[in-house]
Amino acid sequence: MKVLVAVKRVVDYNVKVRAKADGSDVDLNNVKMAINPFCEIAVEEAVRLKEAGVATEVVAVSVGPKACQEQLRTALALGADRAIQVEVEGSVEPLVVAKLLKGVVEKEAPQLVILGKQSIDGDNNQTGQMLGALTNMAQGTFASEVKVDGDSVNVTREIDGGLQTVKLKLPAIVTTDLRLNEPRYASLPNIMKAKKKPLDVLTADDLGVAISSHVTQLRVEPPAERQAGIKVEDVAQLVDKLKNEAKVIA
């Protein structure tokens, strides 16, 4: 079984994100970049499936500029067998990414596609669902457990009311939640081996996809700073402030 895993290059989650002075975008100068944490979980799950003898090949794919090859090499060091970069300059919205991934799916014909449920930069939580609609493949989102059983996969999903288990017929799409697994660290020998693993570069034209934008980013600005709290003397003063200052009660 071939598993296709999508990874995205994002600002490292330990870095405090800052907006540019003109508010046009996020400042990425000299900022550490990394694999999106949810995508890292997806890579780990695919590698575990291979280690369990369920998967025979793990292919990592990323949509973005040449710089995203760094994250693909990390995925290779974590255990992926080969990688594909779909070269696109600038930021692309989830619908375009889904269309590009659809082209890769048609080219590679994987039995299972695993994506992070969302990226920590855009926080859109859309690409996996859009890819499912475009490919007409069954999908299990927000997975906290994945079990492949013959020609189907059982996905335990985290929902508002608790957990829901769905059975999907392969080929299928799974998006990962935080509690699915804990990603491993790439060892130095595997990092060195990753440099020799194959990494192919495709373009949107190769996949027959026209890059277009449906969303215009107007401005990026940091959230308002929280004001300091105060102490009240008694319940009566608390109620007075809630009613007359915060105006959250009548």
Side-chain angles (χ1 to χ4, degrees), residues 129-195:
Q129 292 89 327
M130 288 178 171
L131 180 60
L134 291 171
T135 59
N136 199 31
M137 292 167 64
Q139 58 177 294
T141 54
F142 320 134
S144 61
E145 186 177 13
V146 176
K147 289 185 177 179
V148 177
D149 182 16
D151 62 350
S152 64
V153 56
N154 294 323
V155 179
T156 300
R157 306 177 59 238
E158 298 198 359
I159 59 176
D160 291 341
L163 298 176
Q164 177 192 56
T165 301
V166 294
K167 185 175 183 179
L168 311 175
K169 186 175 181 180
L170 297 174
I173 295 170
V174 172
T175 69
T176 62
D177 214 327
L178 284 173
R179 281 153 290 280
L180 179 58
N181 60 52
E182 184 175 343
R184 69 194 69 190
Y185 289 99
S187 65
L188 182 57
N190 286 338
I191 292 174
M192 300 305 294
K193 291 177 183 177
K195 294 180 179 180

Side-chain angles (χ1 to χ4, degrees), residues 69-84:
Q69 290 187 12
E70 177 186 355
Q71 280 62 51
L72 286 173
R73 290 295 179 191
T74 300
L76 292 171
L78 292 172
D81 298 296
R82 57 188 177 90
I84 300 171

Side-chain angles (χ1 to χ4, degrees), residues 2-3 8 41 43 60 62 65 67 79 83 86 97 101 107 111 113 115 150 153 159 175 179 186 193 203 236 238 247:
K2 182 190 293 187
V3 181
K8 184 178 182 182
I41 292 171
V43 173
S62 187
V86 181
V97 175
L101 290 178
K107 189 179 181 67
Q111 284 70 53
V113 181
L115 308 89
V153 56
I159 59 176
T175 69
R179 281 153 290 280
K193 291 177 183 177
T203 65
L238 172 62
K247 299 186 184 301

Side-chain angles (χ1 to χ4, degrees), residues 42-120:
V43 173
E44 175 65 25
E45 191 64 20
V47 172
R48 291 188 184 189
L49 288 173
K50 184 182 176 184
E51 290 174 343
V54 176
T56 55
E57 183 181 30
V58 176
V59 183
V61 59
S62 187
V63 176
K66 186 176 181 179
C68 75
Q69 290 187 12
E70 177 186 355
Q71 280 62 51
L72 286 173
R73 290 295 179 191
T74 300
L76 292 171
L78 292 172
D81 298 296
R82 57 188 177 90
I84 300 171
Q85 178 207 356
V86 181
E87 191 165 13
V88 176
E89 293 300 327
S91 60
V92 286
E93 58 195 56
L95 179 58
V96 175
V97 175
K99 289 180 178 179
L100 293 168
L101 290 178
K102 174 178 179 284
V104 177
V105 167
E106 291 174 346
K107 189 179 181 67
E108 292 291 327
Q111 284 70 53
L112 185 63
V113 181
I114 309 180
L115 308 89
K117 73 170 184 177
Q118 65 195 76
S119 60
I120 61 173

Side-chain angles (χ1 to χ4, degrees), residues 229-242:
I230 61 171
K231 292 183 178 180
V232 294
E233 298 296 331
D234 50 35
V235 174
Q237 186 181 5
L238 172 62
V239 172
D240 177 68
K241 288 187 176 295
L242 291 174

